[in-house]
Amino acid sequence: MGKRLSWTWTALAGLACTGLASGPLAAAPPEPLPADKLDWQPWGDARPAGELCRGRYVMPDYRLPPPPGQKVASESDLADYGKDGETTLGGEVLLRRGDAQLEAPRVRVPGSRETAYAEGPLALRDSGLLVRGDAAELSLTSDAASIDMAHYVAHEQRLRGDAVRLARLEDGRYRLTEASFTTCEPGSDVWRLVGSDILLDRERGVGTATHARLEMGKVPVLYWPWVRFPLDERRQTGFLWPTIGLSSDSLDYAQPFYWNIAANHDATLTPRWISDRGLLLGGEYRYLFEQDAGQIEGAYIVDDQAAGEEASSTSTLESGDARWYLDYRHAGRFDARTRYRLRYGAASDGRYFDDFGRGFGEDSTASMPRLAQLDHRGDVWQLQARAQGYQKLDDPLLERDKPFYRLPSLAANARWSQDSGFYQQWRSNLTHFWRDVDETRVPLREAANGARLHLSPAAGWRFDESWGHLEPRVEWLATAYQLDYGERETERDESLTRSVPVGTLDGGLVFERELDLGGRGYRQTLEPRINYAFVPARDQSDFPDFDTSEQAFSWNQLWSPYRFSGSDRVGDLNRVSLGLESRLLADATGRERLSFGVGQAYYLEDRTIDMEGDPDKSERDDYANFNSYYRATRDRSPLVTRVDWQLTDHWRSRWQWLYDDHLEQTESTSLAVQYRADAGHVLNFGYRWQLEGFDPAQEDEDVVNYNLGEYDLSFAWKASRRLDLIGRLLYDNTNDRALEQLAGVQWNDCCYGLQLVWREWIDDNDTANTIEDDLTDRGVFLRFVFKGLGGVGGEADSYFEEAIPGYRATALGRF
């Protein structure tokens, strides 16, 4: 729970800095002292890696040992004692009481021994704090002190400043008059906060200032009648920096308020004004307990004045509609073996996140999950109970596209192994599927709700040695349904059962040899592998489709007997797969430098079971299209080739190629090359090509009607320990257009950080196969962080790391 206060004001008016040169706003702190007077020590050659500041504050040792109790110890070159008990110390005077030590050329102590008056130039040290000044008045019976023309440094917080007058109050707080505050290193004027009255509470980690102005390069840029700011990493209640967005036709202003309720829970309230839509109220609440944690967030606008302007003609959205979203997450554990998760998300309509977004780079959210899940993991048994569903965010959402809910789903799985290599496995699942649809508006085969019991016991034997392996395995897939078609009239059987055996035999050998390449020793392997799988065909034409999709072919599919995900379809298969792998291992470390694999599956029978589930297909007209017919009747799979090459410790590449040697065409290929330097530089190049209709699992609106070719180039260059340059280009070669362009700079200095990013991207309106309705969006993202004070703009670090694989953004809030 690391969110922290940035700044607070009592009034929103007057943020512009007009009139700063008059009245109480003309606070003029003294000129700062040079670095050597502020305990500043440059790093020199000892500068740690990644350290942004050119030096650090180091408090020297006390010059006097601590006196016992609350007594005052003193040391001086000269001492003069007056008749009335007054004492004057001269030369090099040292006074110490507790953790406070005073160094001055002359100190006068009246006979009452309650106060000391020091003449400067003087230095007062107190628990990681240094204050230099021209004159001081110190209490000898309490911690109170007052220093004129003061210059202060807090070592641990890395903050410094200057004040016409600095007073330490008896409660330990510091009050500064006509003072400044900054975390910039000595000699830097990037920013400072100047106020007529500043109060620093180091014990609570917070400061306040009245009639405060923010100066950048000594130029005033913002004014607050009253401002509150943090002194360390502790969370503080108050307003956070606003987020402002501008477009050609609207202004978007969000003003979050952070409430530090307690050490283990907090909240953020965010009013957001969008000029062409109205006032949106958002909020987030977080809590943390010993074994549980969670958060709830949401937003609401009572009257969206532009709700229907960008919606499709078939949408029910109208201008003036109320719109909202809610997202609740909770996770915890009852004990070390038993955990649970809760999630509930909902939105008023399918276009909410398209219109309002959720953060930089997250312009839309495809669904809102809903989940209640309980897991128990024993030594043998793993048990799970869950209720699950989600709201699909399409506008409009067609009846047939509404998702099924699992209400509930119960699973029990176990595995037993013997030293002889034999093992047994048990998997079972009972799920009730339900969705809220009008049964008359969906195809008959999609109109059923109901329960499904799926059992899959298995037994096998695994022989595994360094020179090879052999594994025969038998599995029994037993499935039963109890269906309900509601008021829909049908002759379909509502009680269905299916039993399918699955047999596999997997074996491989490993040959090794020593190899010398370029004077380096390697170990090369040659690993032939064979896999046989048999699954008979069963009629499944009356079976529903609750959670199943056909899987696209890949290297892993060579060795798997399952053609479908989920349990509603079991694909028939009579197949032999042959493969050959070779690996190059560095002898000294065993690190894999090169891995090459090639394989192909040979089908001994046609595959008649597809998503329709009918085993009686035989002619071309029995299939929906040529791709389906060809996948079912081809006698061999595409030839699969893959290479994973760790060229050096910094360069790595991956390549996969699926080639149909019958039609002599490439079905799919992908290439990824990455460079990662020790200094943090990252360069990525990727290429992806897929034949039209290659992936049968895609939904209708995502199946593109062309051969897909895309280039992806991204980089992050750490030009220095402070400067990062980032960029990305995702290019659709098929349609000759850029899908995303990103260019940015991140500057992270000792006392401030800056992110400036330009982004342009294609919004496909949730229809990947229809480019005519695609829209081009663009924006400029700016974030400025004043370390120790806060920052303007939302964080984009997570998006940068996702868009540029291998890049790790530096947290701007850290020194």
Side-chain angles (χ1 to χ4, degrees), residues 429-433 450-455 477-483 494-499 543-544 546 567-568:
N429 179 268
L430 174 61
T431 301
H432 183 269
F433 293 93
R452 182 188 69 197
L453 174 65
H454 184 71
L455 308 177
L477 304 181
T479 312
Y481 292 87
Q482 188 62 49
L483 304 178
E494 296 183 352
S495 297
L496 301 169
T497 59
R498 178 193 63 203
S499 295
F543 283 42
F546 291 139
S567 303
D568 295 316

Side-chain angles (χ1 to χ4, degrees), residues 305-474:
Q305 302 168 13
E309 292 183 2
E310 296 182 2
S312 67
S313 58
T314 55
S315 172
T316 59
L317 278 174
E318 296 180 355
S319 297
D321 284 350
R323 305 179 70 185
W324 53 269
Y325 90 94
L326 178 70
D327 194 1
Y328 171 66
R329 311 178 191 191
H330 180 90
R333 59 188 176 92
F334 295 112
D335 54 49
R337 293 179 177 268
T338 309
R339 299 177 179 271
Y340 69 95
R341 288 191 298 154
L342 301 173
R343 179 79 183 269
Y344 181 81
S348 57
D349 56 85
R351 279 198 57 86
Y352 179 89
F353 293 104
D354 291 317
D355 292 339
F356 296 100
R358 208 167 186 175
F360 181 84
E362 188 176 359
D363 307 290
S364 63
T365 298
S367 63
M368 299 295 289
R370 297 161 185 182
L371 175 69
Q373 181 170 311
L374 178 67
D375 290 281
H376 176 78
R377 295 188 175 274
D379 294 332
V380 175
W381 287 92
Q382 288 81 47
L383 308 177
Q384 183 184 89
R386 61 174 169 164
Q388 184 180 28
Y390 62 93
Q391 178 188 1
K392 189 173 181 180
L393 298 182
D394 283 350
D395 183 48
L397 178 61
L398 303 178
E399 289 288 300
R400 64 176 303 174
D401 291 335
K402 290 183 178 180
F404 281 97
Y405 281 72
R406 292 174 169 87
L407 299 173
S409 178
L410 307 175
N413 303 320
R415 183 182 175 92
W416 301 267
S417 300
Q418 291 80 48
D419 294 339
S420 60
F422 286 97
Y423 65 87
Q424 303 79 40
Q425 180 178 290
W426 173 267
R427 295 185 181 277
S428 59
N429 179 268
L430 174 61
T431 301
H432 183 269
F433 293 93
W434 172 87
R435 65 174 175 173
D436 182 18
V437 298
D438 182 349
E439 296 89 351
T440 63
R441 299 176 61 186
V442 297
L444 181 61
R445 65 177 299 114
E446 300 178 13
N449 294 325
R452 182 188 69 197
L453 174 65
H454 184 71
L455 308 177
S456 55
W461 176 70
R462 176 79 180 186
F463 173 81
D464 202 346
E465 295 290 343
S466 61
W467 52 267
H469 75 274
L470 179 67
E471 182 179 7
R473 173 187 168 96
V474 177

